[in-house]
Amino acid sequence: MKCSDCGHAFSSKTDSEPTYYDPLKSILAYLLAGYGLINGVETAKDIFQSATGSKIDFSDLQERVDNIQQNNQLPDDLKQVARRLSWLDKVLLIEAAYLLIFTARPIEYEERLKINLLANAMEIGLEGVDAIIKHLRDQDYKGFAPLQIPN
């Protein structure tokens, strides 16, 4: 169900967190694990806070990284949750994915392909991804710097 005040989807009226919090944590963990960004945890936590206004515990993020390393099915998982997300939720998920990669390495073909794969799982086409990235650029990447995560 979508909240008319904030634009986020919630699983029920009694939920305290919007539906996109869980996939956001998983996307950040997926990218941390996939790119071996052990030094990127603090940046991932900052990106989560920027997208949600809430904090994420290191242990929660680490547990998800461990789960991703054992069961690498995030795109399939996103397909399942996508129908319950609002457009705003999906935009925030793609922004977070882009920002984490942007802060870790130059965005080249492989990185863009990974972002497009995540977007496609949520039924966002290439034009939508391009618009989301342009919006991030217009917002000066929400204050995140390229390559701010040390290798």
Side-chain angles (χ1 to χ4, degrees):
M1 106 163 103
K2 182 178 170 184
C3 174
S4 60
D5 293 331
C6 69
H8 295 294
F10 290 81
S11 293
S12 72
K13 289 182 179 184
T14 60
D15 282 352
S16 60
E17 292 183 346
T19 304
Y20 80 101
Y21 276 34
D22 192 56
L24 176 57
K25 293 172 187 176
S26 296
I27 285 171
L28 294 172
Y30 173 80
L31 295 172
L32 287 169
Y35 285 109
L37 299 175
I38 191 69
N39 295 326
V41 173
E42 288 304 315
T43 300
K45 289 168 60 177
D46 292 343
I47 290 169
F48 182 84
Q49 187 168 2
S50 173
T52 64
S54 298
K55 294 186 180 204
I56 183 172
D57 292 330
F58 173 80
S59 59
D60 189 8
L61 202 50
Q62 186 59 51
E63 181 180 324
R64 287 171 188 274
V65 167
D66 293 342
N67 289 340
I68 292 287
Q69 289 173 332
Q70 294 173 11
N71 177 16
N72 192 358
Q73 295 182 327
L74 182 63
D76 292 334
D77 294 344
L78 284 176
K79 286 179 185 176
Q80 298 300 315
V81 75
R83 67 184 182 279
R84 296 190 321 256
L85 298 172
S86 70
W87 175 253
L88 174 60
D89 298 339
K90 293 175 183 182
V91 167
L92 290 171
L93 294 176
I94 296 305
E95 283 182 352
Y98 187 89
L99 287 171
L100 186 58
I101 296 172
F102 171 79
T103 58
R105 57 191 313 135
I107 302 288
E108 295 179 1
Y109 178 77
E110 180 183 327
E111 290 74 28
R112 184 60 194 266
L113 190 61
K114 191 168 293 275
I115 293 164
N116 290 345
L117 177 68
L118 295 173
N120 187 52
M122 294 184 288
E123 301 175 345
I124 299 174
L126 295 176
E127 299 83 15
V129 175
D130 288 341
I132 291 167
I133 293 169
K134 182 185 180 317
H135 183 68
L136 270 177
R137 194 176 308 119
D138 292 346
Q139 291 184 313
D140 198 29
Y141 301 100
K142 296 188 174 187
F144 291 95
L147 309 176
Q148 75 182 46
I149 297 175
N151 290 329

